[in-house]
Amino acid sequence: MNAAHVRSADRALSVGTWLIVGGAMLFSILTVTPLMAAHTADAWDWTAPILPLVVDAAVVIVVKLDDVLARLGGEGGRWPVVLRWMTGLMTLALNTADSALKKDLVGVAVHAVAPLLLIVTAETGLAYRRAIAAAVARLEAEERAERQAREQAAAERHRAAEVRAREEREHAAMLAREQREHEARLAREQTEREEAARRDERAEREARERAEREARERREREREQQQRERERREREAEQRRETERLAQEQAARRQREEAAEREARERAALLAAGPVNTKLPEDRARMVVAAASAEGLPIRAAAELCGWSIGWVTARYQEQRDTHTTLPLEGASA
């Protein structure tokens, strides 16, 4: 296990934690919004998602700051713990309140899964991050110590090699001086030839070593160039994928906007006909009532537009409200 493995585990922990937090936030918003809408005045129904968003924002702050503090090896004191548990218990209470009011124990158990998982994940993730930060620091310290030891050993070997080379040169010079002192000119010439041969051999060896060093450096430069080229191609491919994704998102957004505009024009066309004196066909009457309900017209005005009775129009309005209420509940259950 090295620092790279520990960092990989830290990334996996971060990704998993944020997936759980995101899923719990989405589940909480879908579950709590209908409850808030049911206990809020009709004129303020649009404020129903605010409370779950505020609580979930607190959850995000707690998880993010705990992550930063754990990486820095710091401690936030008592208040982060209070905020972490308070947001978790609030999320648990809001998610299970509707089922508890209905005395649905199975619903309470099902809706308690995500908040409890969020609470335990926040506490466990904090402990894991602190342990991972300590492990990373320890591994990096060990790697620095090993690197320094290797550098020191290489420096000592280099100094020892220089000392041996200097001693060898001094010994050869001493032998040469003794030989020059005891032998004649022929011996001196022989010595000179031997020295020349040694110089040639040393020059050849140095040239060979220089050629090998240059070949290694050239291969290293080629590998680096290939690596840079590969990274450049990967960046270009990533940019192309990002451009394609943005284009697809823009096309989907334009399609949704066009569909909304088309529906608005259809409702406006149905309502523009004005009051009628005779009953419209039922299919068209239902379309007129649906448009009137979407535009927030009174029931009497809708009855005048379609020619049907107020009781019939009231039943259609109720169907529209039931449909709009059932859809968010079904999404929350999913």
Side-chain angles (χ1 to χ4, degrees), residues 161-224:
E162 289 180 347
V163 170
R164 286 195 300 271
R166 185 171 60 253
E167 291 175 353
E168 290 175 358
R169 288 194 299 271
E170 291 174 356
H171 181 66
M174 183 184 63
L175 292 177
R177 284 193 302 271
E178 290 176 355
Q179 188 174 3
R180 283 194 302 271
E181 292 172 358
H182 293 88
E183 294 180 349
R185 182 177 57 84
L186 183 60
R188 290 196 300 271
E189 293 177 352
Q190 180 65 27
T191 302
E192 292 173 356
R193 287 195 296 271
E194 291 176 353
E195 290 178 353
R198 284 195 296 272
R199 285 194 300 273
D200 292 340
E201 181 181 358
R202 189 164 51 250
E204 181 180 357
R205 183 173 62 253
E206 291 174 354
R208 185 169 58 253
E209 292 175 353
R210 185 168 54 255
E212 293 175 354
R213 185 171 59 254
E214 291 175 353
R216 287 195 301 271
E217 292 175 353
R218 185 171 58 256
R219 289 193 298 270
E220 185 65 23
R221 287 194 299 272
E222 292 174 354
R223 283 196 298 270
E224 292 177 355

Side-chain angles (χ1 to χ4, degrees), residues 223-238:
R223 283 196 298 270
E224 292 177 355
Q225 184 176 2
Q226 292 174 357
Q227 178 66 20
R228 288 194 297 271
E229 182 65 21
R230 184 164 55 251
E231 292 176 352
R232 183 184 63 80
R233 289 196 298 269
E234 291 175 355
R235 288 195 299 271
E236 292 176 352
E238 181 64 24

Side-chain angles (χ1 to χ4, degrees), residues 83-101:
L83 179 59
R84 188 163 60 246
W85 277 93
M86 185 175 67
T87 53
L89 294 176
M90 284 181 178
T91 303
L92 177 63
L94 290 173
N95 277 270
T96 58
D98 189 53
S99 298
L101 291 173

